[in-house]
Amino acid sequence: MVKKQKIIIDCDPGHDDAINIMLAGSSDKLDVLGITVVAGNQTIEKTVKNALRVCQYLDLSYPVYAGCPQPMIRARQMIADDIHGETGLDGPVFPELTRNAEDIHAVLFLIDTIMKSEGDIIITPTGPLTNIAMAMRLEPKIVPKIKRIVLMGGSYQMGNVTPAAEFNIIADADAAHVVFSSGVPLTMCGLDVTRKVLCFPEIVDRMRKIGNKAASLFADLMTYFNKSQKEVFGWDGGPLHDPVTVASILEPELLKIKPMYTEIDIRGLGSYGRTNCDYFGYSKRTPNVDVAIDIDVEKFWDTIGAGIKAYSA
Ligand code: RIB
Ligand code: CA
């Protein structure tokens, strides 16, 4: 019997976060210990409700934990309502929400679960890194007990919020600095690869034709997401950012990785929030991040399709 990989999903649903939860829920290779939620694409109240809505719709019994409502230090909490809408998950119509989040704070769940573990948990953050950084600061002993962090965020090339910075990083650059400098084994699934998995209309049609609940959720989510990505960035298909994290755990050959010394710009003006990745090793600093530099696009969409098909209803 192959041992399931334990994961904790930390997210800010968000259309692509929702599909990442769907993908994780489809696989018997994963043991999802819980979903921790952070403010990001929308306020914490909305991102928590969205995580609960997705789990309820897909009949996933994962515990959902509400986390940090704003960045560690900076007062301004950014949202991405231009992409994800007023609810943070505009598009699909969900049934009345009957699920509730757990009582304990996400940061305390992370600390308690990691401290009790055998050091075998992968964390997959797909939002700002506030919860993860706060857990590291509150209980530094968790750092050596985290098997790996596989995150969506950053870019060794262009940003999306500014020319330099990607949303999950700039939304709480101080938290990103804590995580990237922690020494935890870290895989960065940045815009460099997520912008290669553009969900063109023919992909939406391919997935909708699978014909189950998960297929209709995917199609409704991505129809809205594509519309806003077209309006804001001009993409003919929205980059399906967050599921690259879970897909890379399910398919270890999915990504081409290059270890790089990476630090977060937390002092810059124009480049504040940039993941400064030393691609050529010019600094001679020891690489601290496995940066994804390419992705098998066909394998990615096949993984998404297989995940959707795995839902019976
Ligand atoms: O920059 C893209 C990332 O920011 C994705 O995780 C999206 O959901 C938003 O959180
Ligand atoms: Ca996200």
Side-chain angles (χ1 to χ4, degrees):
M1 169 89 163
V2 176
K3 198 173 177 208
K4 292 190 174 193
Q5 173 58 62
K6 291 177 182 171
I7 71 167
I8 294 173
I9 297 172
D10 186 75
C11 56
D12 63 337
H15 290 67
D16 49 337
D17 304 78
I19 291 170
N20 193 45
I21 292 169
M22 179 201 295
L23 182 61
S26 73
S27 175
D28 58 8
K29 294 181 189 172
L30 300 177
D31 178 6
V32 180
L33 303 178
I35 297 177
T36 52
V37 186
V38 67
N41 285 320
Q42 260 296 353
T43 61
I44 189 70
E45 294 77 15
K46 294 179 179 179
T47 53
V48 169
K49 280 196 174 71
N50 291 336
L52 291 165
R53 282 195 179 99
V54 173
C55 289
Q56 179 177 307
Y57 180 84
L58 293 170
D59 202 20
L60 298 173
S61 57
Y62 304 143
V64 172
Y65 300 85
C68 296
Q70 64 185 58
M72 288 179 86
I73 295 170
R74 304 251 168 163
R76 178 168 166 261
Q77 191 248 318
M78 297 171 80
I79 60 173
D81 54 346
D82 56 339
I83 298 293
H84 299 275
E86 181 52 35
T87 68
L89 214 52
D90 282 16
V93 177
F94 290 97
E96 185 194 352
L97 184 59
T98 56
R99 291 264 185 102
N100 293 303
E102 304 300 308
D103 291 337
I104 72 162
H105 192 284
V107 171
L108 299 180
F109 165 75
L110 284 162
I111 292 169
D112 185 56
T113 307
I114 294 165
M115 288 306 291
K116 287 175 180 167
S117 78
E118 295 167 5
D120 54 352
I121 298 173
I122 295 177
I123 304 175
T124 59
T126 59
L129 293 164
T130 318
N131 289 340
I132 315 302
M134 289 295 282
M136 289 180 172
R137 283 293 189 255
L138 201 54
E139 182 44 89
K141 294 191 186 84
I142 68 169
V143 170
K145 294 202 73 167
I146 297 170
K147 177 179 178 182
R148 176 165 286 269
I149 290 176
V150 180
L151 65 84
M152 192 280 139
S155 164
Y156 69 88
Q157 300 171 88
M158 288 193 302
N160 56 2
V161 173
T162 70
E166 178 277 329
F167 178 85
N168 288 339
I169 304 298
I170 195 174
D172 193 345
D174 301 294
H177 167 70
V178 169
V179 173
F180 275 66
S181 59
S182 69
V184 171
L186 181 59
T187 302
M188 183 181 111
C189 306
L191 297 174
D192 318 286
V193 293
T194 66
R195 280 173 165 158
K196 294 186 176 183
V197 287
L198 300 178
C199 191
F200 295 113
E202 52 268 29
I203 299 251
V204 177
D205 291 343
R206 168 184 165 185
M207 302 305 173
R208 187 192 296 278
K209 285 181 183 136
I210 295 169
N212 58 15
K213 279 178 75 174
S216 55
L217 180 61
F218 179 95
D220 292 348
L221 283 167
M222 293 313 289
T223 299
Y224 182 90
F225 186 71
N226 281 351
K227 179 174 170 295
S228 57
Q229 289 281 347
K230 177 75 175 173
E231 287 163 2
V232 175
F233 294 106
W235 300 113
D236 289 326
L240 192 47
H241 305 290
D242 294 340
V244 172
T245 58
V246 165
S248 72
I249 296 171
L250 296 176
E251 295 294 341
E253 303 305 311
L254 183 74
L255 299 175
K256 183 178 179 188
I257 295 291
K258 183 176 171 60
M260 301 183 201
Y261 174 72
T262 301
E263 58 186 30
I264 309 298
D265 185 339
I266 53 175
R267 291 182 175 75
L269 293 173
S271 60
Y272 175 78
R274 178 168 175 72
T275 46
N276 281 318
C277 302
D278 184 3
Y279 186 93
F280 295 105
Y282 198 68
S283 69
K284 304 286 187 278
R285 304 283 294 264
T286 305
N288 56 321
V289 180
D290 290 333
V291 178
I293 59 171
D294 204 356
I295 184 169
D296 183 331
V297 174
E298 185 180 349
K299 185 187 284 276
F300 175 78
W301 292 120
D302 288 347
T303 303
I304 297 292
I308 293 171
K309 283 184 186 134
Y311 285 87
S312 53

